[in-house]
Amino acid sequence: MLDIFCKWIGYAGWEEFVYRNTTVATPEQEVPIALSAIRNKRKKATVIILTVTGMLITISAALIARSHNVMVCLKDKYTQKAVEADKVSLFLLEKGTKKKLQQKDNCFLLKTADQNALVVVESPYYKTDTLSIAANYSDTAEFELQPDDYAMMLRAYMNGNVADWNKRRRQLGEIISNDAIIQEVMFDEIGVEFLNKEEFINKVTTPGSVVKNMEVVEINYKEGMIIALKFIQK
Amino acid sequence: MKTLLICLVLLLTLPALSQQTQPAHVNAVTAKNLRAYEAKAEAKVKEFYSYLELLTDPKLNPDMKAQVRKETEKLFEDNQMLLNLFSKKLAYAPLKEMLDTAVTQKEKRTFTISNITVIKSRVWMLNYTVNCGTYSIKVQQPFLMTEEEKQFGTTTRKVVSTYLGPMRELQ
C-alpha cells in the first residue's frame, strides 16, 4: 500500500521515498524543505485513503439499495388461512443454487438483489410451486398454495393412517359448502364432469389418477366456504 | 333405466352437419368440446386402473379399500360385464365380481395402459391395451355420456355425467 501511495506522489516506491527523505536531506538548509514536502505528501496520502474509503462506502450502499427484502407469506388455497410455516420450505433459486429462506413470524424473509426472484416452495402437504417475486413488491408478498391431497392421501393409505384420512375428510367437509358445485374442466373452460360436495370429498380422498393430476384453477367463496371449484387434470 | 342415455356426439356434431349456415366460431367450439370429452374418456380409463391397483394392495386398510371400491363402481353406470383381469383365463365377469377378486389379491398389481384411442361414432368407443405383469390384452369399452339430475345441496341441476361401459377383448 505504501508503495502505491509513493508511486502516486512521484516516487518509484517506498524505498525511494525513504531514501530521498532521509539520506538526501543532509545539508542543514534542506531540512525544513524536506519536512514540508513530507507533510504535503502525507496530506495527499490521507486524501487518497479517504477518497477510496468513500468510494467503497458508496458502492456498498448502492448494492444494499438494489437488494430488497420481502416477507413471503403463504395461504391455503382451500381454507384461505395462513399456511403454517413449519409445513413448507422455501428456497431462493440463484445462479443455479438453492438457498433456504429463513422463517419469520409465520412468513419467510427473502433478501435478494434480483429484479425477479424465483422461489421454490416444497412441502409434503402442498403441491410444489415456483413463485416469481418481482422487485417492486413492497414489504410483503402473499401467495396461495394448493394442498397436495394426493400426497397426503397416498401417505395415509400406505401407512394405513385412518386418523389422518378421516381428519382430511373432516377438514374438507368444513370448508366446502353443502351447495357447492365442483366442475372438472378441460382446457380451463369446458366442464366435463360435475360433482357435488360428497362426491368431490370422496374423489379427493382416494389417491387415484384424478387426484394425482388434479390442479385447481378457480375457487369461489361465500362467507368463508367454497361454493364453486374448478379443476383440471394435467 | 332411469337415466336417459344420450349420444352427445350427435348434439355436438349437429352444428357440423349444418356447417354452411353456421358461423365459423360455432364449429371451433364444437371441435374443442369433442377434444375435451375425448380427453375425459381417456382419463376415465386411467382412473379405473389406478383404483384397481389400490384395490389389489393387500396392505390397504379395509375402510380405505371400501371407499376405493365405491369410487371404482361409480365409474360405471351399472354392474357391467368386464374381463376379469385377475382370473387365470381372463373370463368375463360382472364388475362387482371382478372387484371381489381384486380385493383378495395377495400382492399389489400394476397396470399400464397403452395405445389408447377414442372412436367417436354414435356411441364412443375406447380401444386400448392393458399391460399387467406377463399379459397384454387389447380391449374395447364404450364411453357413455348421460344427462341426469344431480343434487347439489338444496338445488338440483341437470348435468352430463360420464361412465365406462362393458369391456370386451379385441382379437
Side-chain angles (χ1 to χ4, degrees), chain A residues 156-157 162 165 169 178-179 181 184 187 189-190 193-196 199 202-203 205-206 208-210, chain B residues 32-33 36-37 40 44 46-47 50-51 54 60-61 64 67 71 74 150-154 157 162:
Chain A
Y157 267 64
V162 184
W165 180 58
R169 289 181 63 85
N178 290 335
D179 294 338
I181 296 173
E184 181 186 344
F187 322 123
E189 51 186 302
I190 302 166
E193 194 91 79
F194 293 81
L195 306 172
N196 58 31
E199 288 171 327
N202 286 335
K203 182 86 74 188
T205 54
T206 310
S209 60
V210 174
Chain B
K32 210 170 180 184
N33 280 344
Y37 275 95
K40 177 63 190 171
K44 201 101 184 170
K46 288 174 184 164
E47 190 180 1
S50 69
Y51 289 157
L54 284 171
L60 201 64
N61 174 284
M64 294 168 169
Q67 175 164 316
E71 288 304 297
K74 282 185 207 164
K150 191 176 268 189
Q151 198 74 27
F152 296 88
T154 51
R157 285 171 63 127
T162 60

Side-chain angles (χ1 to χ4, degrees), chain A residues 127-170:
Chain A
K127 293 201 168 185
T128 301
D129 206 351
T130 305
L131 315 173
S132 176
I133 302 173
N136 59 6
Y137 267 108
S138 51
D139 295 332
T140 310
E142 195 172 66
F143 294 92
E144 289 184 345
L145 293 185
Q146 187 188 323
D148 191 348
D149 280 296
Y150 178 73
M152 281 191 272
M153 286 307 104
L154 195 62
R155 243 190 339 267
Y157 267 64
M158 292 304 111
N159 300 329
N161 193 338
V162 184
D164 271 5
W165 180 58
N166 282 326
K167 184 181 166 191
R168 186 62 186 155
R169 289 181 63 85
R170 247 192 339 271

Side-chain angles (χ1 to χ4, degrees), chain A residues 100-117:
Chain A
K100 194 170 182 179
L101 301 191
Q102 279 192 331
Q103 271 185 45
K104 201 176 177 188
D105 303 329
N106 216 35
C107 292
F108 294 84
L109 181 62
L110 168 70
K111 287 180 183 178
T112 179
D114 280 357
Q115 290 303 294
N116 210 355

Side-chain angles (χ1 to χ4, degrees), chain B residues 108-127:
Chain B
K108 191 180 176 183
R109 306 285 285 270
T110 306
F111 296 95
T112 54
I113 308 302
S114 54
N115 304 323
I116 188 161
T117 54
V118 184
I119 300 162
K120 297 185 280 288
S121 57
R122 197 176 61 80
V123 174
W124 284 25
M125 283 293 180
L126 281 152
N127 288 355

Side-chain angles (χ1 to χ4, degrees), chain B:
Chain B
M1 196 161 58
K2 284 182 183 176
T3 55
L4 173 67
L5 184 68
I6 59 160
C7 184
L8 202 68
V9 183
L10 278 178
L11 290 174
L12 295 170
T13 50
L14 277 177
L17 297 172
S18 54
Q19 217 169 357
Q20 288 171 341
T21 55
Q22 292 286 352
H25 73 272
V26 172
N27 290 328
V29 169
T30 303
K32 210 170 180 184
N33 280 344
L34 289 173
R35 282 207 310 277
Y37 275 95
E38 191 175 336
K40 177 63 190 171
E42 291 181 19
K44 201 101 184 170
V45 169
K46 288 174 184 164
E47 190 180 1
F48 170 53
Y49 287 96
S50 69
Y51 289 157
L52 272 191
E53 285 185 354
L54 284 171
L55 282 175
T56 59
D57 188 348
K59 292 177 192 161
L60 201 64
N61 174 284
D63 289 348
M64 294 168 169
K65 220 169 216 187
Q67 175 164 316
V68 180
R69 185 179 174 136
K70 271 188 198 166
E71 288 304 297
T72 315
E73 288 176 6
K74 282 185 207 164
L75 299 177
F76 294 83
E77 197 177 34
D78 297 303
N79 191 19
Q80 306 279 7
M81 289 296 280
L82 305 178
L83 273 170
N84 189 345
L85 301 167
F86 307 103
S87 69
K88 281 181 184 168
K89 291 182 181 174
L90 294 175
Y92 285 94
L95 168 69
K96 289 183 179 175
E97 192 181 312
M98 182 208 191
L99 298 182
D100 286 341
T101 328
V103 296
T104 55
Q105 293 300 299
K106 287 181 180 154
E107 59 182 48
K108 191 180 176 183
R109 306 285 285 270
T110 306
F111 296 95
T112 54
I113 308 302
S114 54
N115 304 323
I116 188 161
T117 54
V118 184
I119 300 162
K120 297 185 280 288
S121 57
R122 197 176 61 80
V123 174
W124 284 25
M125 283 293 180
L126 281 152
N127 288 355
Y128 57 91
T129 307
V130 190
N131 309 288
C132 179
T134 53
Y135 70 78
S136 174
I137 48 166
K138 286 181 181 174
V139 295
Q140 188 174 65
Q141 200 168 11
F143 175 70
L144 310 166
M145 288 165 272
T146 305
E147 193 181 54
E148 58 188 19
E149 289 196 335
K150 191 176 268 189
Q151 198 74 27
F152 296 88
T154 51
T155 57
T156 306
R157 285 171 63 127
K158 265 190 181 175
V159 296
V160 173
S161 295
T162 60
Y163 298 99
L164 293 172
M167 192 192 282
R168 77 178 180 92
E169 187 177 0
L170 286 177
Q171 297 303 320

Side-chain angles (χ1 to χ4, degrees), chain A residues 171-180 182 197 200-201 225-227 229:
Chain A
Q171 284 174 339
L172 290 167
E174 285 165 6
I175 56 170
I176 301 173
S177 159
N178 290 335
D179 294 338
I182 288 96
K197 176 182 177 174
F200 180 67
I201 292 174
M225 303 277 279
I226 295 173
I227 54 160
L229 183 148

